Amino acid sequence: MQAVTLGPAGTYSHRAARAVADDVAFRESVTSIVQAVADGSFERGVVPIENSIEGSVTESLDAVANSDVSVVQEIVTPIRHALLAQSANFDVVASHSQALAQCRSYLDENYPDVTLEAVASTARGVERARADPTVAGIGHPDNASASHAEGSQTESDAPADDLEIIAEDIQDQSSNATRFLVIGPESARSDAGGKSSLVVYPNANYPGLLLELLEAFAERDINLSRIESRPSGNRLGDYLFHIDADAGLYEERMQEALEEVEGIARNGWVRVLGSYDTRHVLY
């Protein structure tokens, strides 16, 4: 099986994807990853969905809601950020916007005058640091080694030297962790697993609407581990809801809750992404 995830090689998404498949391909955006699974180009995709410091990855939420895919597994992995550069003298720190935000306090305190540059992934920031002595990257400490730059460059321009690890564990919270969703085609959707995800678009707006949705689960003793609203894109003030429930679709109580939610959203739609289990991966 081949999986596709956020590249180039060496991203945290790449680390999570290697728990799914030995053969990993890369795309430059979450949206293109989800689309590549939806159109059948890949059997599995791995996308970040939520970080314990910075919260949800909105591009992932929107891509999953707008595509015909299923969720088949959840991977949770700790995130260890290191500051990597050719030397301690740099003017720019380049990394993914989420990584920059997760290290905000450290950077403000230690490098208040550097320029922060958001790039497509942590690995792209490390690539910038290899190519430019005035740039530092943020990534896993292993990314300091030139040998971990596999697959991201051609032989002629491959990095010759390792980067210095200027500082390790620079994330603002030591408990920093990220949830990744393993997605598959709709045909891979399962009713088995201890957790379920769905997207609800009520296409309505009236007092008590959200309460009705919540009560469908609360009355059946189903815990919601996450509920988040996102703009529907149809009109200002119109929202859809991403819901993670701690129950499998095979359970009668979950089937009853889903039936009630579908009734509440009768003027809109409900997309059931599937039931799945959580896997914790340590690096």
Side-chain angles (χ1 to χ4, degrees), residues 1-64:
M1 179 182 295
Q2 187 180 41
V4 59
T5 195
L6 194 64
T11 62
Y12 289 98
S13 294
H14 183 198
R15 291 173 175 273
R18 286 188 303 191
V20 177
D22 293 330
D23 188 4
V24 179
F26 303 104
R27 291 290 184 272
E28 290 293 321
S29 71
V30 168
T31 301
S32 61
I33 293 166
V34 175
Q35 184 56 45
V37 175
D39 66 19
S41 299
F42 293 90
E43 295 177 78
R44 295 291 184 268
V46 178
V47 297
I49 195 71
E50 183 180 18
N51 177 262
S52 60
I53 297 177
E54 281 301 299
S56 295
V57 181
T58 55
E59 184 185 1
S60 296
L61 293 177
D62 295 342
V64 169

Side-chain angles (χ1 to χ4, degrees), residues 12-210:
Y12 289 98
S13 294
H14 183 198
R15 291 173 175 273
R18 286 188 303 191
V20 177
D22 293 330
D23 188 4
V24 179
F26 303 104
R27 291 290 184 272
E28 290 293 321
S29 71
V30 168
T31 301
S32 61
I33 293 166
V34 175
Q35 184 56 45
V37 175
D39 66 19
S41 299
F42 293 90
E43 295 177 78
R44 295 291 184 268
V46 178
V47 297
I49 195 71
E50 183 180 18
N51 177 262
S52 60
I53 297 177
E54 281 301 299
S56 295
V57 181
T58 55
E59 184 185 1
S60 296
L61 293 177
D62 295 342
V64 169
N66 295 323
S67 303
D68 295 328
V69 294
S70 62
V71 177
V72 299
Q73 190 180 54
E74 175 184 76
I75 294 175
V76 178
T77 182
I79 302 297
R80 291 186 58 211
H81 286 315
L83 189 63
L84 311 174
Q86 294 185 33
S87 74
N89 299 314
F90 52 85
D91 303 315
V92 175
V93 176
S95 195
H96 190 276
S97 58
Q98 281 264 336
L100 292 172
Q102 291 162 24
C103 304
R104 184 182 294 113
S105 296
Y106 172 85
L107 294 172
D108 286 347
E109 180 178 349
N110 294 278
Y111 298 97
D113 298 324
V114 302
T115 299
L116 304 183
E117 178 184 328
V119 293
S121 66
T122 54
R124 284 290 180 220
V126 174
E127 283 186 348
R128 291 267 288 112
R130 290 190 192 284
D132 189 338
T134 68
V135 176
I138 294 176
H140 192 279
D142 286 352
N143 292 146
S145 171
S147 64
H148 282 77
E150 54 177 325
S152 60
Q153 293 160 308
T154 63
E155 185 175 346
S156 61
D157 63 2
D161 301 304
D162 293 346
L163 294 174
E164 289 186 31
I165 300 177
I166 307 300
E168 291 191 58
D169 294 318
I170 65 172
Q171 61 273 3
D172 293 343
Q173 300 289 337
S174 60
S175 59
N176 191 19
T178 294
R179 294 173 57 217
F180 295 87
L181 294 183
V182 181
I183 60 172
E186 270 194 311
S187 59
R189 196 191 87 171
S190 173
D191 290 349
K195 191 172 186 177
S196 299
S197 288
L198 57 149
V199 185
V200 181
Y201 176 52
N203 194 23
N205 186 13
Y206 55 84
L209 170 61
L210 182 56

